[in-house]
PDB file of all heavy atoms in Angstrom:
ATOM      1  N   ILE A 244       4.398-107.992 216.585  1.00  0.00           N
ATOM      2  CA  ILE A 244       4.081-107.040 215.520  1.00  0.00           C
ATOM      3  C   ILE A 244       3.031-107.583 214.563  1.00  0.00           C
ATOM      4  O   ILE A 244       2.164-106.834 214.103  1.00  0.00           O
ATOM      5  CB  ILE A 244       5.369-106.593 214.781  1.00  0.00           C
ATOM      6  CG1 ILE A 244       5.091-105.405 213.853  1.00  0.00           C
ATOM      7  CG2 ILE A 244       5.966-107.712 213.993  1.00  0.00           C
ATOM      8  CD1 ILE A 244       5.038-104.114 214.546  1.00  0.00           C
ATOM      9  N   VAL A 245       3.070-108.857 214.246  1.00  0.00           N
ATOM     10  CA  VAL A 245       2.100-109.456 213.320  1.00  0.00           C
ATOM     11  C   VAL A 245       0.690-109.378 213.912  1.00  0.00           C
ATOM     12  O   VAL A 245      -0.263-109.001 213.239  1.00  0.00           O
ATOM     13  CB  VAL A 245       2.481-110.909 212.960  1.00  0.00           C
ATOM     14  CG1 VAL A 245       1.413-111.560 212.123  1.00  0.00           C
ATOM     15  CG2 VAL A 245       3.812-110.947 212.238  1.00  0.00           C
ATOM     16  N   ARG A 247      -0.380-107.250 216.175  1.00  0.00           N
ATOM     17  CA  ARG A 247      -0.829-105.850 216.205  1.00  0.00           C
ATOM     18  C   ARG A 247      -1.262-105.364 214.824  1.00  0.00           C
ATOM     19  O   ARG A 247      -2.250-104.646 214.708  1.00  0.00           O
ATOM     20  CB  ARG A 247       0.289-104.950 216.751  1.00  0.00           C
ATOM     21  CG  ARG A 247       0.439-105.133 218.262  1.00  0.00           C
ATOM     22  CD  ARG A 247       1.407-104.145 218.818  1.00  0.00           C
ATOM     23  NE  ARG A 247       2.757-104.643 218.559  1.00  0.00           N
ATOM     24  CZ  ARG A 247       3.860-103.950 218.738  1.00  0.00           C
ATOM     25  NH1 ARG A 247       3.799-102.723 219.167  1.00  0.00           N
ATOM     26  NH2 ARG A 247       5.028-104.501 218.493  1.00  0.00           N
ATOM     27  N   MET A 249      -2.492-107.267 212.439  1.00  0.00           N
ATOM     28  CA  MET A 249      -3.779-107.932 212.160  1.00  0.00           C
ATOM     29  C   MET A 249      -4.939-107.224 212.882  1.00  0.00           C
ATOM     30  O   MET A 249      -6.001-107.045 212.316  1.00  0.00           O
ATOM     31  CB  MET A 249      -3.733-109.407 212.527  1.00  0.00           C
ATOM     32  CG  MET A 249      -2.931-110.264 211.555  1.00  0.00           C
ATOM     33  SD  MET A 249      -3.575-110.227 209.870  1.00  0.00           S
ATOM     34  CE  MET A 249      -5.146-111.044 210.097  1.00  0.00           C
ATOM     35  N   ALA A 253      -7.979-105.374 211.027  1.00  0.00           N
ATOM     36  CA  ALA A 253      -9.335-105.811 211.328  1.00  0.00           C
ATOM     37  C   ALA A 253     -10.190-104.630 211.766  1.00  0.00           C
ATOM     38  O   ALA A 253     -11.372-104.524 211.389  1.00  0.00           O
ATOM     39  CB  ALA A 253      -9.320-106.889 212.395  1.00  0.00           C
ATOM     40  N   LEU A 254      -9.637-103.723 212.563  1.00  0.00           N
ATOM     41  CA  LEU A 254     -10.384-102.534 212.982  1.00  0.00           C
ATOM     42  C   LEU A 254     -10.735-101.630 211.817  1.00  0.00           C
ATOM     43  O   LEU A 254     -11.841-101.103 211.741  1.00  0.00           O
ATOM     44  CB  LEU A 254      -9.611-101.773 214.055  1.00  0.00           C
ATOM     45  CG  LEU A 254      -9.506-102.432 215.416  1.00  0.00           C
ATOM     46  CD1 LEU A 254      -8.589-101.637 216.338  1.00  0.00           C
ATOM     47  CD2 LEU A 254     -10.884-102.586 216.032  1.00  0.00           C
ATOM     48  N   ALA A 259     -14.810 -99.763 207.917  1.00  0.00           N
ATOM     49  CA  ALA A 259     -15.263 -99.653 206.517  1.00  0.00           C
ATOM     50  C   ALA A 259     -16.605-100.351 206.325  1.00  0.00           C
ATOM     51  O   ALA A 259     -17.486 -99.844 205.598  1.00  0.00           O
ATOM     52  CB  ALA A 259     -14.225-100.249 205.585  1.00  0.00           C
ATOM     53  N   TRP A 264     -22.398 -99.907 205.371  1.00  0.00           N
ATOM     54  CA  TRP A 264     -23.750-100.270 205.759  1.00  0.00           C
ATOM     55  C   TRP A 264     -24.588 -99.037 206.091  1.00  0.00           C
ATOM     56  O   TRP A 264     -25.744 -98.920 205.690  1.00  0.00           O
ATOM     57  CB  TRP A 264     -23.709-101.200 206.972  1.00  0.00           C
ATOM     58  CG  TRP A 264     -24.999-101.903 207.195  1.00  0.00           C
ATOM     59  CD1 TRP A 264     -26.076-101.469 207.917  1.00  0.00           C
ATOM     60  CD2 TRP A 264     -25.409-103.150 206.651  1.00  0.00           C
ATOM     61  NE1 TRP A 264     -27.086-102.355 207.865  1.00  0.00           N
ATOM     62  CE2 TRP A 264     -26.697-103.404 207.100  1.00  0.00           C
ATOM     63  CE3 TRP A 264     -24.759-104.065 205.840  1.00  0.00           C
ATOM     64  CZ2 TRP A 264     -27.372-104.563 206.752  1.00  0.00           C
ATOM     65  CZ3 TRP A 264     -25.461-105.219 205.495  1.00  0.00           C
ATOM     66  CH2 TRP A 264     -26.732-105.457 205.954  1.00  0.00           C
ATOM     67  N   GLY A 268     -27.576 -98.404 203.447  1.00  0.00           N
ATOM     68  CA  GLY A 268     -28.865 -98.743 204.048  1.00  0.00           C
ATOM     69  C   GLY A 268     -29.942 -97.695 203.812  1.00  0.00           C
ATOM     70  O   GLY A 268     -31.018 -97.988 203.274  1.00  0.00           O
ATOM     71  N   CYS A 276     -37.986 -96.177 196.157  1.00  0.00           N
ATOM     72  CA  CYS A 276     -39.377 -95.714 196.334  1.00  0.00           C
ATOM     73  C   CYS A 276     -39.671 -94.526 195.437  1.00  0.00           C
ATOM     74  O   CYS A 276     -40.744 -94.478 194.813  1.00  0.00           O
ATOM     75  CB  CYS A 276     -39.633 -95.363 197.791  1.00  0.00           C
ATOM     76  SG  CYS A 276     -39.718 -96.800 198.848  1.00  0.00           S
ATOM     77  N   HIS A 278     -38.250 -93.772 192.626  1.00  0.00           N
ATOM     78  CA  HIS A 278     -38.287 -94.252 191.251  1.00  0.00           C
ATOM     79  C   HIS A 278     -39.622 -94.948 190.957  1.00  0.00           C
ATOM     80  O   HIS A 278     -40.227 -94.689 189.913  1.00  0.00           O
ATOM     81  CB  HIS A 278     -37.123 -95.206 190.989  1.00  0.00           C
ATOM     82  CG  HIS A 278     -37.153 -95.823 189.635  1.00  0.00           C
ATOM     83  ND1 HIS A 278     -36.828 -95.123 188.491  1.00  0.00           N
ATOM     84  CD2 HIS A 278     -37.498 -97.072 189.242  1.00  0.00           C
ATOM     85  CE1 HIS A 278     -36.968 -95.923 187.458  1.00  0.00           C
ATOM     86  NE2 HIS A 278     -37.339 -97.120 187.869  1.00  0.00           N
ATOM     87  N   VAL A 279     -40.039 -95.806 191.849  1.00  0.00           N
ATOM     88  CA  VAL A 279     -41.294 -96.529 191.628  1.00  0.00           C
ATOM     89  C   VAL A 279     -42.469 -95.554 191.590  1.00  0.00           C
ATOM     90  O   VAL A 279     -43.307 -95.629 190.689  1.00  0.00           O
ATOM     91  CB  VAL A 279     -41.503 -97.614 192.731  1.00  0.00           C
ATOM     92  CG1 VAL A 279     -42.940 -98.145 192.703  1.00  0.00           C
ATOM     93  CG2 VAL A 279     -40.526 -98.751 192.535  1.00  0.00           C
ATOM     94  N   ARG A 284     -47.048 -95.135 187.962  1.00  0.00           N
ATOM     95  CA  ARG A 284     -48.311 -94.610 188.500  1.00  0.00           C
ATOM     96  C   ARG A 284     -49.520 -95.429 188.070  1.00  0.00           C
ATOM     97  O   ARG A 284     -50.565 -95.372 188.703  1.00  0.00           O
ATOM     98  CB  ARG A 284     -48.498 -93.157 188.082  1.00  0.00           C
ATOM     99  CG  ARG A 284     -47.425 -92.251 188.660  1.00  0.00           C
ATOM    100  CD  ARG A 284     -47.660 -90.812 188.283  1.00  0.00           C
ATOM    101  NE  ARG A 284     -46.532 -89.985 188.630  1.00  0.00           N
ATOM    102  CZ  ARG A 284     -46.345 -89.426 189.810  1.00  0.00           C
ATOM    103  NH1 ARG A 284     -47.219 -89.595 190.763  1.00  0.00           N
ATOM    104  NH2 ARG A 284     -45.279 -88.694 190.044  1.00  0.00           N
ATOM    105  N   VAL A 290     -49.138-104.040 193.733  1.00  0.00           N
ATOM    106  CA  VAL A 290     -47.925-104.356 192.973  1.00  0.00           C
ATOM    107  C   VAL A 290     -46.765-103.504 193.469  1.00  0.00           C
ATOM    108  O   VAL A 290     -45.647-103.985 193.670  1.00  0.00           O
ATOM    109  CB  VAL A 290     -48.166-104.130 191.471  1.00  0.00           C
ATOM    110  CG1 VAL A 290     -46.857-104.275 190.683  1.00  0.00           C
ATOM    111  CG2 VAL A 290     -49.213-105.094 190.945  1.00  0.00           C
ATOM    112  N   HIS A 293     -45.714-104.799 196.851  1.00  0.00           N
ATOM    113  CA  HIS A 293     -44.965-106.040 196.697  1.00  0.00           C
ATOM    114  C   HIS A 293     -43.541-105.744 196.232  1.00  0.00           C
ATOM    115  O   HIS A 293     -42.578-106.324 196.731  1.00  0.00           O
ATOM    116  CB  HIS A 293     -45.653-106.974 195.716  1.00  0.00           C
ATOM    117  CG  HIS A 293     -44.896-108.234 195.475  1.00  0.00           C
ATOM    118  ND1 HIS A 293     -44.757-109.212 196.413  1.00  0.00           N
ATOM    119  CD2 HIS A 293     -44.205-108.656 194.364  1.00  0.00           C
ATOM    120  CE1 HIS A 293     -44.012-110.193 195.917  1.00  0.00           C
ATOM    121  NE2 HIS A 293     -43.672-109.870 194.667  1.00  0.00           N
ATOM    122  N   THR A 296     -41.563-104.357 199.133  1.00  0.00           N
ATOM    123  CA  THR A 296     -41.221-105.421 200.080  1.00  0.00           C
ATOM    124  C   THR A 296     -40.072-106.280 199.543  1.00  0.00           C
ATOM    125  O   THR A 296     -39.137-106.607 200.274  1.00  0.00           O
ATOM    126  CB  THR A 296     -42.446-106.314 200.354  1.00  0.00           C
ATOM    127  OG1 THR A 296     -43.495-105.500 200.848  1.00  0.00           O
ATOM    128  CG2 THR A 296     -42.142-107.401 201.352  1.00  0.00           C
ATOM    129  N   VAL A 308     -24.261-110.179 202.257  1.00  0.00           N
ATOM    130  CA  VAL A 308     -23.457-111.191 201.550  1.00  0.00           C
ATOM    131  C   VAL A 308     -22.212-110.546 200.940  1.00  0.00           C
ATOM    132  O   VAL A 308     -21.101-111.077 201.063  1.00  0.00           O
ATOM    133  CB  VAL A 308     -24.307-111.875 200.451  1.00  0.00           C
ATOM    134  CG1 VAL A 308     -23.447-112.766 199.574  1.00  0.00           C
ATOM    135  CG2 VAL A 308     -25.425-112.687 201.090  1.00  0.00           C
ATOM    136  N   ALA A 313     -16.357-109.559 201.035  1.00  0.00           N
ATOM    137  CA  ALA A 313     -15.273-108.560 201.055  1.00  0.00           C
ATOM    138  C   ALA A 313     -14.447-108.682 202.322  1.00  0.00           C
ATOM    139  O   ALA A 313     -13.213-108.591 202.267  1.00  0.00           O
ATOM    140  CB  ALA A 313     -15.859-107.157 200.951  1.00  0.00           C
ATOM    141  N   ASN A 321      -4.941-109.373 204.258  1.00  0.00           N
ATOM    142  CA  ASN A 321      -4.282-108.735 205.402  1.00  0.00           C
ATOM    143  C   ASN A 321      -3.397-109.713 206.160  1.00  0.00           C
ATOM    144  O   ASN A 321      -2.329-109.358 206.655  1.00  0.00           O
ATOM    145  CB  ASN A 321      -5.304-108.130 206.354  1.00  0.00           C
ATOM    146  CG  ASN A 321      -5.951-106.903 205.785  1.00  0.00           C
ATOM    147  OD1 ASN A 321      -5.455-106.314 204.842  1.00  0.00           O
ATOM    148  ND2 ASN A 321      -7.067-106.501 206.358  1.00  0.00           N
ATOM    149  N   ILE A 328       5.138-108.363 206.389  1.00  0.00           N
ATOM    150  CA  ILE A 328       5.631-107.138 207.029  1.00  0.00           C
ATOM    151  C   ILE A 328       6.187-107.461 208.407  1.00  0.00           C
ATOM    152  O   ILE A 328       7.240-106.953 208.804  1.00  0.00           O
ATOM    153  CB  ILE A 328       4.512-106.082 207.125  1.00  0.00           C
ATOM    154  CG1 ILE A 328       4.154-105.586 205.723  1.00  0.00           C
ATOM    155  CG2 ILE A 328       4.933-104.914 208.011  1.00  0.00           C
ATOM    156  CD1 ILE A 328       2.897-104.731 205.673  1.00  0.00           C
ATOM    157  N   GLY A 333      10.250-107.761 212.249  1.00  0.00           N
ATOM    158  CA  GLY A 333      10.757-108.548 213.371  1.00  0.00           C
ATOM    159  C   GLY A 333      12.270-108.662 213.321  1.00  0.00           C
ATOM    160  O   GLY A 333      12.958-108.520 214.344  1.00  0.00           O
TER     161      GLY A 333
END
Side-chain angles (χ1 to χ4, degrees):
I244 190 80
V245 175
R247 286 187 280 170
M249 285 300 294
L254 289 174
W264 195 272
C276 288
H278 175 75
V279 167
R284 296 183 190 273
V290 173
H293 177 69
T296 302
V308 171
N321 288 344
I328 292 170

